[in-house]
Amino acid sequence: MYLSPSSLLSLGALLIASTSALKCSPSSISKPDVLGATILDLQANEAHNYTTVSIGPGSNNGGKYTISFCNVTVTHTHAGWNDTIATQIWLPLHDDWNGRFQGLGGGGYSTGFGPIYLAYAVAQGFASASTDGGVPGDPGAVTTIATDLSWALSSKDNVNWFLLQDYATKATNDMAEIGKQVTESYYNRAPEYSYFSGCSGGGRQGFAMAQQFPDAFDGVLAVAPAINLETFIPAGYWPTQVMNDNQIYPSPCEIDAFVSAAVEACDGLDGVQDGMISLPHLCNVTAFDLVGKHYTCNGTQHSLSPSAAKVVQAAWSGSLSRNPEEAGGYYGINKDAPLSSYYIPTECPARNNSTSTCHTSNGASLFGNWISYLVAKDPSFSLSQISEAEFFSFLTASKTEYASLLAANNPDMSAFKARGGKMITWQGLADEVIPPGGLVEYHKRVLELDSNAGDFFRVFEAPGVNHCFGGPGPVPNDALEQLMEWVEMGVKPDTLRATRGSGGAARDLCPFPMRQRYIGGDPADAMSFECVEV
């Protein structure tokens, strides 16, 4: 039978596609071997021209991507734990793989966001993995899975310690083991380098890996890391406690006006007016200093009130404004961080911004759910009537019960350093969820233990950037690329390249404790700033 050249080419393409599909099948990919775990199932199939909107952890570089890849899902359990964990591994087709593996973190009370991060990583050429931590739910519903803690209780007053252990570290380390083994099986060679990327709760996962499983990854990018989760989460409820104690519920409009007034007062401390507070440690204005300033809401002029100032100052000072040794409190957020989303979540009847008609919204669920589920251990527990003394007793109880399991703040990362690991972490100074003061304090403790820690661990502050991304400040979208340069070529990141803030500025972020100072020229030009200790 004669076959024309074009027919032969078509047949060859079909054979190549068929061979590729055969390699992406349950029979061709070896089941991983994970200590202490039993593999229940492995599914694999090729996905072609998969199109989705995706982002990377701590990046503004999201977009619409069309990718083709081998889609592998491994399900496993731990004997006696009654858990079922699904790990997704997306593998670029052979010609598209960059030779690297990337584990991806989650956020809030989730260990992974599935396709939301995976597609972005695959589009960059990484063999990538994400884990659900054994908690069912739609990874696309980020807000829901990030604040839902119903899984943490087996029943009233009974914590599901096995799932909490999965959430803390176990599932993430399993993901690293499973992901790298599946990658090697599919490509017939191990990844040359392995990286982890995560923001918020995902940043905490990255720190936990470096501290407890130093062999898991060569490089860790941990953005806005929730390293003191058991402390700052319940402490974040403090402004709501102040509202409930005083029956003061400022309108979102007034809350935002306090933030705008604070920015106006402290914006120029770094030498330039750019809509950001770049040196928050020098911003000494209090909410009470701003009382009486005018603001406009829905076309009506108002004045910032003393009652609202009390609530706003609670968010800025944090619960450390009391006796920290007795209260177990935590830092407040910086004064250009949005307040009305998490720390002072209120809502008012339509077009009515009188504080007498406003009330708390469900925005405090990230903080309140922690107290209800993990401290009171009662899903129906109401926080609205607790006393101030009870609130601070909850903070102490949370730290006592969960620090050893969930905190990722051990300053000793000597094992990670010894095996050549590198870590970059950065946080927006206008972070509206996690107070930056915790990361600053942790970095100091690391340097006290190892004065040469900068050889493997560097912290950067991002002025004007919100939680993970957003805000007027420039975001270091190339941080993972700089981490790879450090791991693979020994190029230390003396600064982080940062662009694309909503304010349009480009900056080089400084390694802490150095900070940006304006030296003249166009504020949108990175060369107009220098890194100095201020």
Side-chain angles (χ1 to χ4, degrees):
M1 180 178 64
Y2 172 74
L3 291 176
S4 67
S6 61
S7 297
L8 287 170
L9 287 172
S10 298
L11 179 60
L14 285 171
L15 288 171
I16 291 171
S18 176
T19 302
S20 174
L22 286 174
K23 290 183 177 179
C24 182
S25 66
S27 61
S28 298
I29 296 177
S30 302
K31 284 188 176 181
D33 181 13
V34 181
L35 182 65
T38 300
I39 304 300
L40 301 175
D41 186 47
L42 187 152
Q43 295 295 322
N45 62 277
E46 282 196 2
H48 290 274
N49 299 318
Y50 175 87
T51 301
T52 187
V53 175
S54 180
I55 60 173
S59 172
N60 271 355
N61 270 348
K64 189 174 183 179
Y65 297 94
T66 300
I67 54 177
S68 297
F69 57 96
C70 177
N71 181 6
V72 181
T73 300
V74 176
T75 307
H76 73 286
T77 187
H78 302 102
W81 285 30
N82 195 33
D83 59 350
T84 303
I85 300 173
T87 302
Q88 289 179 279
I89 307 97
W90 286 14
L91 306 156
L93 301 186
H94 286 258
D95 291 342
D96 297 326
W97 185 39
N98 65 15
R100 303 176 179 93
F101 170 76
Q102 183 179 178
L104 298 162
Y109 306 136
S110 167
T111 56
F113 292 145
I116 292 177
Y117 284 168
L118 282 167
Y120 178 83
V122 168
Q124 312 308 311
F126 290 93
S128 307
S130 178
T131 176
D132 69 2
V135 179
D138 177 11
V142 174
T143 302
T144 300
I145 65 173
T147 59
D148 178 24
L149 258 181
S150 59
W151 55 266
L153 291 182
S154 300
S155 62
K156 183 177 178 179
D157 205 41
N158 291 308
V159 174
N160 190 328
W161 290 104
F162 293 130
L163 272 186
L164 209 59
Q165 177 69 55
D166 284 334
Y167 169 76
T169 55
K170 190 68 172 174
T172 306
N173 188 55
D174 287 351
M175 174 189 70
E177 292 288 333
I178 291 169
K180 287 188 285 187
Q181 289 183 44
V182 167
T183 299
E184 182 173 2
S185 179
Y186 179 68
Y187 296 112
N188 291 319
R189 64 186 178 96
E192 296 175 42
Y193 299 96
S194 296
Y195 296 92
F196 180 90
S197 298
C199 183
S200 191
R204 184 201 65 82
Q205 289 169 264
F207 269 81
M209 291 300 100
Q211 293 164 11
Q212 299 183 44
F213 302 95
D215 295 329
F217 298 99
D218 301 301
V220 172
L221 174 61
V223 181
I227 56 176
N228 301 298
L229 183 77
E230 77 299 329
T231 305
F232 86 80
I233 284 283
Y237 194 79
W238 172 237
T240 302
Q241 179 69 32
V242 171
M243 286 196 288
N244 291 337
D245 285 345
N246 295 276
Q247 293 296 292
I248 301 168
Y249 302 98
S251 71
C253 202
E254 183 172 14
I255 296 165
D256 294 342
F258 269 99
V259 175
S260 297
V263 172
E264 182 180 355
C266 296
D267 185 353
L269 291 173
D270 63 342
V272 64
Q273 296 285 337
D274 52 10
M276 305 182 279
I277 301 178
S278 296
L279 302 175
H281 64 296
L282 299 181
C283 181
N284 297 318
V285 67
T286 71
F288 302 106
D289 296 330
L290 305 174
V291 169
K293 287 187 173 293
H294 297 302
Y295 69 99
T296 300
C297 189
N298 293 327
T300 302
Q301 190 176 78
H302 304 268
S303 297
L304 297 178
S305 64
S307 59
K310 189 171 186 177
V311 179
V312 170
Q313 191 58 44
W316 288 348
S317 297
S319 47
L320 277 178
S321 58
R322 297 179 50 88
N323 185 333
E325 293 183 0
E326 293 182 2
Y330 204 71
Y331 304 93
I333 58 176
N334 288 334
K335 292 162 189 171
D336 57 343
L339 284 173
S340 55
S341 52
Y342 290 97
Y343 275 77
I344 311 179
T346 62
E347 57 188 10
C348 313
R351 298 192 64 80
N352 186 336
N353 283 279
S354 168
T355 56
S356 62
T357 59
C358 299
H359 54 86
T360 56
S361 69
N362 62 1
S365 58
L366 179 69
F367 305 138
N369 282 353
W370 181 280
I371 298 174
S372 296
Y373 285 97
L374 287 179
V375 184
K377 303 181 180 69
D378 180 358
S380 62
F381 182 80
S382 174
L383 283 77
S384 61
Q385 301 299 319
I386 65 172
S387 68
E388 183 177 298
E390 287 173 318
F391 168 78
F392 282 102
S393 72
F394 286 160
L395 296 191
T396 301
S398 178
K399 190 171 183 178
T400 300
E401 290 192 62
Y402 300 109
S404 62
L405 178 63
L406 295 172
N409 57 8
N410 183 354
D412 184 0
M413 290 193 286
S414 56
F416 182 66
K417 176 183 180 180
R419 55 95 58 198
K422 302 290 187 293
M423 177 186 284
I424 291 176
T425 184
W426 67 265
Q427 183 169 11
L429 290 180
D431 193 315
E432 73 274 26
V433 180
I434 302 178
L439 181 58
V440 169
E441 178 60 29
Y442 174 80
H443 182 256
K444 291 178 180 177
R445 291 171 56 216
V446 171
L447 288 179
E448 288 171 359
L449 200 63
D450 179 1
S451 60
N452 295 316
D455 292 340
F456 76 98
F457 170 59
R458 297 202 169 187
V459 174
F460 298 83
E461 294 180 332
V465 177
N466 300 149
H467 188 56
C468 297
F469 52 82
V475 177
N477 293 307
D478 295 331
L480 180 58
E481 181 181 333
Q482 290 190 253
L483 177 63
M484 290 190 293
E485 292 172 357
W486 195 8
V487 169
E488 299 172 23
M489 295 179 283
V491 180
K492 293 182 181 179
D494 291 329
T495 60
L496 281 191
R497 302 183 292 269
T499 58
R500 299 187 183 182
S502 63
R507 299 276 177 89
D508 289 334
L509 303 186
C510 308
F512 187 82
M514 303 182 81
R515 294 181 168 98
Q516 296 172 350
R517 184 176 64 185
Y518 178 67
I519 56 176
D522 183 357
D525 186 345
M527 299 302 293
S528 299
F529 295 82
E530 65 177 357
C531 291
V532 296
E533 289 199 38
V534 181

